[in-house]
mmCIF file of all heavy atoms in Angstrom:
data_model
loop_
_atom_site.group_PDB
_atom_site.id
_atom_site.type_symbol
_atom_site.label_atom_id
_atom_site.label_comp_id
_atom_site.label_asym_id
_atom_site.label_seq_id
_atom_site.Cartn_x
_atom_site.Cartn_y
_atom_site.Cartn_z
ATOM 1 N N ALA A 158 0.674 0.492 5.587
ATOM 2 C CA ALA A 158 -0.643 0.513 4.943
ATOM 3 C C ALA A 158 -0.769 1.703 3.989
ATOM 4 O O ALA A 158 -1.312 1.571 2.884
ATOM 5 C CB ALA A 158 -1.741 0.562 6.009
ATOM 6 N N ARG A 159 -0.259 2.867 4.407
ATOM 7 C CA ARG A 159 -0.358 4.063 3.559
ATOM 8 C C ARG A 159 0.366 3.854 2.234
ATOM 9 O O ARG A 159 -0.164 4.185 1.163
ATOM 10 C CB ARG A 159 0.247 5.259 4.307
ATOM 11 C CG ARG A 159 0.303 6.548 3.492
ATOM 12 C CD ARG A 159 0.925 7.681 4.295
ATOM 13 N NE ARG A 159 2.286 7.370 4.721
ATOM 14 C CZ ARG A 159 3.360 7.499 3.946
ATOM 15 N NH1 ARG A 159 3.226 7.918 2.689
ATOM 16 N NH2 ARG A 159 4.567 7.221 4.403
ATOM 17 N N ARG A 160 1.566 3.301 2.282
ATOM 18 C CA ARG A 160 2.312 3.049 1.051
ATOM 19 C C ARG A 160 1.588 2.047 0.160
ATOM 20 O O ARG A 160 1.583 2.172 -1.064
ATOM 21 C CB ARG A 160 3.716 2.526 1.401
ATOM 22 C CG ARG A 160 4.612 3.542 2.082
ATOM 23 C CD ARG A 160 5.821 2.851 2.712
ATOM 24 N NE ARG A 160 6.595 3.765 3.533
ATOM 25 C CZ ARG A 160 7.735 4.334 3.151
ATOM 26 N NH1 ARG A 160 8.215 4.107 1.954
ATOM 27 N NH2 ARG A 160 8.392 5.133 3.963
ATOM 28 N N ASN A 161 0.971 1.051 0.779
ATOM 29 C CA ASN A 161 0.278 0.029 -0.003
ATOM 30 C C ASN A 161 -1.016 0.546 -0.618
ATOM 31 O O ASN A 161 -1.417 0.086 -1.691
ATOM 32 C CB ASN A 161 0.009 -1.197 0.872
ATOM 33 C CG ASN A 161 1.281 -1.973 1.167
ATOM 34 O OD1 ASN A 161 2.186 -2.020 0.341
ATOM 35 N ND2 ASN A 161 1.369 -2.559 2.339
ATOM 36 N N VAL A 162 -1.680 1.473 0.055
ATOM 37 C CA VAL A 162 -2.862 2.095 -0.547
ATOM 38 C C VAL A 162 -2.466 2.830 -1.822
ATOM 39 O O VAL A 162 -3.131 2.739 -2.865
ATOM 40 C CB VAL A 162 -3.557 3.046 0.450
ATOM 41 C CG1 VAL A 162 -4.581 3.924 -0.267
ATOM 42 C CG2 VAL A 162 -4.234 2.246 1.558
ATOM 43 N N ARG A 163 -1.347 3.549 -1.760
ATOM 44 C CA ARG A 163 -0.865 4.226 -2.964
ATOM 45 C C ARG A 163 -0.533 3.221 -4.056
ATOM 46 O O ARG A 163 -0.825 3.427 -5.235
ATOM 47 C CB ARG A 163 0.364 5.082 -2.644
ATOM 48 C CG ARG A 163 0.082 6.243 -1.686
ATOM 49 C CD ARG A 163 1.064 7.387 -1.913
ATOM 50 N NE ARG A 163 2.446 6.963 -1.928
ATOM 51 C CZ ARG A 163 3.261 6.991 -0.872
ATOM 52 N NH1 ARG A 163 2.797 7.411 0.295
ATOM 53 N NH2 ARG A 163 4.514 6.618 -0.988
ATOM 54 N N ARG A 164 0.079 2.126 -3.663
ATOM 55 C CA ARG A 164 0.426 1.093 -4.639
ATOM 56 C C ARG A 164 -0.827 0.474 -5.242
ATOM 57 O O ARG A 164 -0.881 0.188 -6.448
ATOM 58 C CB ARG A 164 1.278 0.017 -3.956
ATOM 59 C CG ARG A 164 1.759 -1.074 -4.904
ATOM 60 C CD ARG A 164 2.725 -2.007 -4.175
ATOM 61 N NE ARG A 164 3.250 -3.017 -5.060
ATOM 62 C CZ ARG A 164 2.687 -4.205 -5.262
ATOM 63 N NH1 ARG A 164 1.551 -4.499 -4.643
ATOM 64 N NH2 ARG A 164 3.225 -5.087 -6.083
ATOM 65 N N ALA A 165 -1.853 0.251 -4.407
ATOM 66 C CA ALA A 165 -3.103 -0.315 -4.913
ATOM 67 C C ALA A 165 -3.731 0.594 -5.954
ATOM 68 O O ALA A 165 -4.259 0.138 -6.976
ATOM 69 C CB ALA A 165 -4.079 -0.543 -3.749
ATOM 70 N N ARG A 166 -3.678 1.897 -5.723
ATOM 71 C CA ARG A 166 -4.232 2.836 -6.705
ATOM 72 C C ARG A 166 -3.491 2.724 -8.033
ATOM 73 O O ARG A 166 -4.100 2.829 -9.105
ATOM 74 C CB ARG A 166 -4.148 4.262 -6.160
ATOM 75 C CG ARG A 166 -5.130 4.527 -5.027
ATOM 76 C CD ARG A 166 -4.924 5.905 -4.421
ATOM 77 N NE ARG A 166 -5.983 6.194 -3.464
ATOM 78 C CZ ARG A 166 -5.965 7.227 -2.630
ATOM 79 N NH1 ARG A 166 -4.933 8.066 -2.653
ATOM 80 N NH2 ARG A 166 -6.950 7.430 -1.799
ATOM 81 N N ARG A 167 -2.199 2.511 -7.957
ATOM 82 C CA ARG A 167 -1.443 2.380 -9.197
ATOM 83 C C ARG A 167 -1.801 1.081 -9.917
ATOM 84 O O ARG A 167 -1.892 1.044 -11.146
ATOM 85 C CB ARG A 167 0.057 2.423 -8.911
ATOM 86 C CG ARG A 167 0.873 2.387 -10.183
ATOM 87 C CD ARG A 167 2.322 2.712 -9.943
ATOM 88 N NE ARG A 167 3.048 2.828 -11.197
ATOM 89 C CZ ARG A 167 4.295 3.203 -11.308
ATOM 90 N NH1 ARG A 167 4.966 3.530 -10.225
ATOM 91 N NH2 ARG A 167 4.878 3.273 -12.480
ATOM 92 N N VAL A 168 -1.983 -0.006 -9.158
ATOM 93 C CA VAL A 168 -2.388 -1.267 -9.777
ATOM 94 C C VAL A 168 -3.717 -1.082 -10.506
ATOM 95 O O VAL A 168 -3.908 -1.550 -11.631
ATOM 96 C CB VAL A 168 -2.497 -2.381 -8.722
ATOM 97 C CG1 VAL A 168 -3.082 -3.643 -9.344
ATOM 98 C CG2 VAL A 168 -1.137 -2.689 -8.116
ATOM 99 N N MET A 169 -4.648 -0.383 -9.860
ATOM 100 C CA MET A 169 -5.964 -0.163 -10.470
ATOM 101 C C MET A 169 -5.854 0.654 -11.743
ATOM 102 O O MET A 169 -6.622 0.478 -12.690
ATOM 103 C CB MET A 169 -6.877 0.554 -9.470
ATOM 104 C CG MET A 169 -7.238 -0.280 -8.261
ATOM 105 S SD MET A 169 -8.153 0.725 -7.069
ATOM 106 C CE MET A 169 -7.985 -0.284 -5.609
ATOM 107 N N HIS A 170 -4.918 1.563 -11.771
ATOM 108 C CA HIS A 170 -4.784 2.456 -12.921
ATOM 109 C C HIS A 170 -3.918 1.852 -14.025
ATOM 110 O O HIS A 170 -4.287 1.894 -15.204
ATOM 111 C CB HIS A 170 -4.162 3.785 -12.476
ATOM 112 C CG HIS A 170 -3.942 4.750 -13.599
ATOM 113 N ND1 HIS A 170 -4.978 5.380 -14.248
ATOM 114 C CD2 HIS A 170 -2.815 5.172 -14.212
ATOM 115 C CE1 HIS A 170 -4.497 6.165 -15.197
ATOM 116 N NE2 HIS A 170 -3.181 6.054 -15.197
ATOM 117 N N ALA A 171 -2.771 1.275 -13.656
ATOM 118 C CA ALA A 171 -1.802 0.827 -14.650
ATOM 119 C C ALA A 171 -1.655 -0.683 -14.727
ATOM 120 O O ALA A 171 -0.965 -1.185 -15.609
ATOM 121 C CB ALA A 171 -0.431 1.454 -14.359
ATOM 122 N N GLY A 172 -2.265 -1.421 -13.787
ATOM 123 C CA GLY A 172 -2.098 -2.860 -13.772
ATOM 124 C C GLY A 172 -0.749 -3.272 -13.204
ATOM 125 O O GLY A 172 0.113 -2.437 -12.927
ATOM 126 N N PHE A 173 -0.565 -4.558 -13.039
ATOM 127 C CA PHE A 173 0.689 -5.045 -12.472
ATOM 128 C C PHE A 173 1.859 -4.846 -13.427
ATOM 129 O O PHE A 173 3.014 -4.752 -12.991
ATOM 130 C CB PHE A 173 0.574 -6.527 -12.100
ATOM 131 C CG PHE A 173 -0.186 -6.758 -10.829
ATOM 132 C CD1 PHE A 173 -1.450 -7.332 -10.850
ATOM 133 C CD2 PHE A 173 0.339 -6.385 -9.608
ATOM 134 C CE1 PHE A 173 -2.162 -7.546 -9.687
ATOM 135 C CE2 PHE A 173 -0.366 -6.588 -8.428
ATOM 136 C CZ PHE A 173 -1.623 -7.166 -8.474
#
Side-chain angles (χ1 to χ4, degrees):
R159 176 181 60 81
R160 293 165 188 258
N161 288 327
V162 167
R163 295 207 310 265
R164 183 174 183 270
R166 289 174 173 169
R167 184 168 187 174
V168 173
M169 293 174 197
H170 178 70
F173 283 109

